[in-house]
């Protein structure tokens, strides 16, 4: 997690995609949002988060439950980058 935070600070990406288990409250997502200077959107891809509450708690732009179609992820990224 600390490596991710440092890379986000260093590179200031337009978007961060997190995959896998991120904890019940989206701890890594929260840390990215609170440690970055820019308002970087985060998309979570996980089979472990199924509630809107988790998305709300960590401030994620969206949660994509696994398994998912790659086209869905691409569509969400394209929409986000167009509006962002």
């Amino acid at each position: 997690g600390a490596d991710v935070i440092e890379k986000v600070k260093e590179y200031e990406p337009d978007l961060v995609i997190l995959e896998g288990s991120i904890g019940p409250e989206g701890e890594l997502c929260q840390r990215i949002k609170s440690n970055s200077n820019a308002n970087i959107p985060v998309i979570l891809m996980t089979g472990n988060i199924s509630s809107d509450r988790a998305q709300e708690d960590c401030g994620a732009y969206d949660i994509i439950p696994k398994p998912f179609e790659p086209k869905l992820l691409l569509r969400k990224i394209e929409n986000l980058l167009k509006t962002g």
Side-chain angles (χ1 to χ4, degrees):
D3 290 342
V4 172
I5 302 299
E6 290 304 314
K7 294 296 181 190
V8 167
K9 285 180 183 178
E10 182 179 349
Y11 294 107
E12 296 182 8
D14 293 329
L15 168 69
V16 173
I17 299 172
L18 298 177
E19 189 273 329
S21 176
I22 56 152
E25 289 84 30
E27 182 182 327
L28 184 53
C29 179
Q30 288 175 333
R31 289 177 57 204
I32 288 171
K33 302 294 275 179
S34 66
N35 285 300
S36 64
N37 292 335
N39 187 18
I40 299 171
V42 176
I43 294 178
L44 306 175
M45 299 185 320
T46 182
N48 296 331
I49 294 179
S50 60
S51 73
D52 290 337
R53 174 91 173 131
Q55 181 178 356
E56 213 173 89
D57 287 348
C58 78
Y61 168 77
D62 205 348
I63 294 177
I64 301 176
K66 291 195 271 181
F68 65 91
E69 290 290 324
K71 287 181 182 181
L72 171 66
L73 176 60
L74 290 174
R75 233 181 0 257
K76 289 184 182 281
I77 292 169
E78 287 171 351
N79 288 337
L80 174 65
L81 295 178
K82 282 179 190 174
T83 61

